[in-house]
């Protein structure tokens, strides 16, 4: 049994991120949310695009108003009005001001903005009662960003602020990495689909639904291959199809030591190189990982909790790496949270207990799911938002103590 951290590095080493030109596609800006940027974004525009006002008020020459106060106001002649989106017509001369609004271009000759609240207008004149700092409220062209500099680095997950940046730089077609393709199927003679009648000894396939849902959430393209019986021929056919169509394959079941557990044998027959056979993780021990030339195969355990836990712990970082995300964004992140109850483990394998990660009084808190913690019990897995991790040899974490939690 491999320790969990070793299994994690083996898996991440097997994953080659998308990077070839054929892995890049162009999407419309409004479809780029949640995608990974594939090329540097560089704008030909300065930000701000021109010197402009940060306030509604008056554009002035600082030298004209220096030292003025409410007792000794300065009076200036208003020569024009500049709303946002218009082009100033005049150059300010000594003793002149321009009425200006937030976002409007600064006229030539002006260097400072006086906010409206510090002024009083009288016809074509304005009295200035308070002298701001020189250059006050002037947003200089290029002071946020200079045209030609790097705006967004490749390998970032595009979120709402990034979309705003791309929109502002008029990037309407965005180069992104293609969606990762993940084939999913469940194995087992006992399995039926949720809409089928349940016969004696049968069980509903929940794994392929859980994994497909998780893949949708990750923004990958799931290829759902349904249920395959514990028949070596049928399995071989589905596995061949899966490894030819997908970047990653997730199957569940058939990876333990039972007479009907054929996955590892078939992977070997098909030319896969087995890198992992079992991991010291509870639940999820018989995780099987094999490498094919263009695909990594994950044989996840059939027990529903084992399937999801191994997926959360190992597959999601692998998908993030494959998607083209940078190292700091694909590694799993654990949060120290105060456990609300006693956490227990047999101590033999790194143990993952499911529950709710939340913030209570400004502090992360872990609430263990009530009921049986058994890899076959998916009922109390509902609404899980975190997995508390008890390292090997740690048999207890007391209520009120801190525990590492993997948010899921
Ligand atoms: N002698 C041993 N037996 C087992 C060991 C072991 O070390 N020695 N390991 C146990 C552990 S731990 C796990 S985990 C399971 C893994 O078994 P498999 O991956 O071979 O999965 P199956 O045997 O096919 O099924 C296990 C269990 O899960 C149910 N199942 C399967 N597929 C689904 C599905 N799609 N949706 C819902 N439930 C599913 C299946 O009916 C079984 O109950 O092996 C232990 N045995
Ligand atoms: O590894 Mo199994 O998942 O303990 O039941
Ligand atoms: Mg089995």
């Amino acid at each position: 049994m491999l320790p969990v951290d070793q299994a994690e590095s083996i898996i991440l080493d097997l994953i080659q991120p998308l990077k070839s030109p054929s892995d890049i596609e162009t999407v419309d800006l409004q479809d780029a949310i949640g995608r990974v940027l594939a090329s540097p974004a560089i704008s030909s525009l300065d930000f701000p695009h021109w010197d402009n006002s940060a306030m509604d008020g008056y554009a002035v020459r600082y030298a004209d108003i220096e030292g003025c106060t409410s007792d000794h106001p300065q009076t200036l002649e208003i020569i024009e009005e500049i709303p946002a989106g218009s082009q100033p017509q005049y150059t300010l001369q000594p003793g002149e001001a321009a009425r200006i609004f937030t976002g409007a271009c600064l006229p030539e000759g002006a260097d400072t903005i006086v906010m409206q609240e510090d002024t009083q207008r009288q016809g074509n004149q304005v009295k200035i009662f308070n002298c701001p700092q020189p250059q006050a409220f002037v947003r200089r062209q290029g002071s946020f960003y200079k045209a030609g500099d790097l705006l967004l680095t490749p390998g970032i997950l595009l979120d709402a602020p990034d979309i705003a940046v791309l929109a502002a730089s008029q990037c309407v077609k965005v180069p992104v990495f293609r969606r990762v393709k993940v084939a999913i199927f469940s194995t087992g003679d006992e399995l039926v689909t949720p809409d089928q009648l349940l016969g004696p000894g049968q069980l509903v396939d929940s794994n392929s639904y859980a994994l497909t849902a998780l893949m949708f959430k990750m923004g990958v393209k799931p290829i759902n291959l349904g249920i395959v019986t514990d028949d070596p021929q049928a399995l071989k056919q589905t596995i061949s199809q899966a490894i030819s169509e997908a970047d990653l394959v997730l199957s569940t079941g058939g990876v333990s030591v039972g007479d009907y557990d054929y996955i590892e044998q078939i992977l070997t027959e098909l030319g896969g190189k087995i890198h992992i056979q079992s991991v010291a993780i509870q639940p999820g021990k018989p995780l099987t990982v094999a490498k094919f030339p263009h695909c990594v195969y994950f044989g996840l355990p059939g027990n529903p909790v084992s399937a999801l836990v191994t997926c959360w712990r190992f597959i999601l970082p692998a998908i993030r790496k494959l998607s083209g995300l940078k190292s700091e964004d694909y590694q799993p992140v654990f949060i120290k949270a105060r456990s609300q109850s006693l956490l227990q483990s047999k101590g033999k394998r790194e143990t993952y207990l499911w529950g709710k990660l939340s913030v209570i009084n400004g502090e992360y808190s872990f609430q263990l799911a009530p009921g049986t913690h058994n890899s076959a019990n998916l009922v109390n897995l509902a609404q899980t938002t975190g997995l508390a991790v008890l390292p090997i040899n740690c048999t207890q974490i007391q209520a009120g103590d801190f525990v590492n939690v993997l948010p899921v």
Side-chain angles (χ1 to χ4, degrees):
M1 279 198 292
L2 276 174
V4 170
D5 57 343
Q6 275 183 37
E8 176 190 308
S9 11
I10 292 173
I11 289 169
L12 290 176
D13 286 348
L14 289 175
I15 300 292
Q16 295 300 320
L18 299 176
K19 63 167 185 288
S20 79
S22 61
D23 291 328
I24 298 175
E25 59 191 31
T26 302
V27 295
D28 291 341
L29 178 58
Q30 63 268 30
D31 298 326
I33 184 80
R35 304 298 297 270
V36 179
L37 186 68
S39 314
I42 294 165
S43 179
S44 55
L45 297 168
D46 283 333
F47 286 83
H49 311 322
W50 41 72
D51 294 346
N52 71 96
S53 173
M55 290 288 173
D56 300 316
Y58 293 87
V60 301
R61 299 157 54 99
Y62 181 77
D64 284 350
I65 60 156
E66 190 172 3
C68 73
T69 61
S70 49
D71 293 337
H72 298 97
Q74 184 60 253
T75 302
L76 301 172
E77 200 67 26
I78 301 166
I79 56 155
E80 71 170 324
E81 180 170 306
I82 314 167
S86 74
Q87 179 85 28
Q89 300 297 310
Y90 303 104
T91 300
L92 280 197
Q93 303 298 329
E96 292 178 345
R99 178 76 170 119
I100 199 164
F101 298 94
T102 306
C105 288
L106 211 67
E108 289 285 329
D111 56 20
T112 301
I113 303 293
V114 181
M115 60 196 289
Q116 196 169 309
E117 290 85 335
D118 292 334
T119 67
Q120 191 182 59
R121 182 155 183 173
Q122 286 165 343
N124 275 343
Q125 292 190 325
V126 60
K127 271 189 178 166
I128 313 285
F129 293 111
N130 189 16
C131 178
Q133 295 293 311
Q135 309 278 330
F137 308 123
V138 175
R139 301 190 287 214
R140 287 284 169 209
Q141 175 171 354
S143 60
F144 302 162
Y145 169 84
K146 287 254 180 288
D149 286 355
L150 182 64
L151 192 60
L152 298 177
T153 17
I156 58 166
L157 188 67
L158 295 171
D159 205 345
D162 313 302
I163 300 291
V165 170
L166 291 169
S169 55
Q170 300 190 304
C171 176
V172 289
K173 297 281 178 194
V174 188
V176 295
F177 289 115
R178 67 170 173 82
R179 290 188 192 279
V180 168
K181 289 174 279 180
V182 180
I184 297 163
F185 62 95
S186 296
T187 73
D189 286 344
E190 73 278 32
L191 301 177
V192 297
T193 57
D195 56 349
Q196 281 176 319
L197 213 60
L198 200 61
Q202 290 188 319
L203 190 72
V204 177
D205 163 31
S206 55
N207 287 347
S208 71
Y209 288 84
L211 298 181
T212 303
L214 197 50
M215 293 305 112
F216 270 124
K217 222 174 113 178
M218 290 292 290
V220 316
K221 192 173 161 190
I223 305 168
N224 196 329
L225 301 175
I227 298 171
V228 186
T229 52
D230 294 317
D231 164 47
Q233 270 318 105
L235 283 167
K236 205 168 194 171
Q237 203 184 333
T238 304
I239 293 175
S240 305
Q241 182 192 345
I243 59 179
S244 70
E245 288 182 7
D247 301 301
L248 301 181
V249 180
L250 308 179
S251 67
T252 63
V255 290
S256 186
V257 295
D259 290 351
Y260 303 100
D261 294 336
Y262 296 119
I263 297 291
E264 186 182 332
Q265 176 201 324
I266 294 169
L267 293 174
T268 310
E269 284 171 21
L270 288 172
K273 183 170 180 331
I274 307 290
H275 287 266
I276 296 176
Q277 287 168 306
S278 70
V279 182
I281 185 169
Q282 162 92 49
K285 178 179 68 170
L287 173 69
T288 300
V289 182
K291 175 86 176 93
F292 288 89
H294 303 292
C295 176
V296 182
Y297 188 104
F298 295 92
L300 309 180
N303 279 316
V305 185
S306 315
L308 261 177
V309 167
T310 47
C311 200
W312 279 321
R313 181 62 184 85
F314 299 114
I315 315 303
L316 299 195
I319 289 173
R320 291 196 292 262
K321 180 173 181 187
L322 182 54
S323 307
L325 287 177
K326 290 179 283 183
S327 169
E328 61 269 28
D329 295 328
Y330 67 68
Q331 304 279 354
V333 173
F334 295 86
I335 286 173
K336 278 214 181 312
R338 199 183 287 282
S339 180
Q340 298 302 303
S341 55
L342 172 69
L343 305 178
Q344 286 182 295
S345 151
K346 290 186 188 126
K348 296 211 176 76
R349 299 185 243 158
E350 188 168 300
T351 297
Y352 287 66
L353 299 171
W354 47 101
K356 277 205 165 106
L357 178 65
S358 54
V359 176
I360 297 179
N361 297 331
E363 183 179 85
Y364 280 112
S365 156
F366 178 75
Q367 182 70 57
L368 185 71
T372 311
H373 278 248
N374 179 299
S375 59
N377 179 21
L378 57 65
V379 176
N380 68 350
L381 199 60
Q383 293 294 297
T384 292
T385 52
L387 299 173
V389 187
L390 276 68
I392 291 179
N393 295 328
C394 168
T395 53
Q396 285 200 338
I397 288 179
Q398 300 300 327
D401 283 355
F402 281 96
V403 62
N404 277 336
V405 177
L406 178 69
V408 298

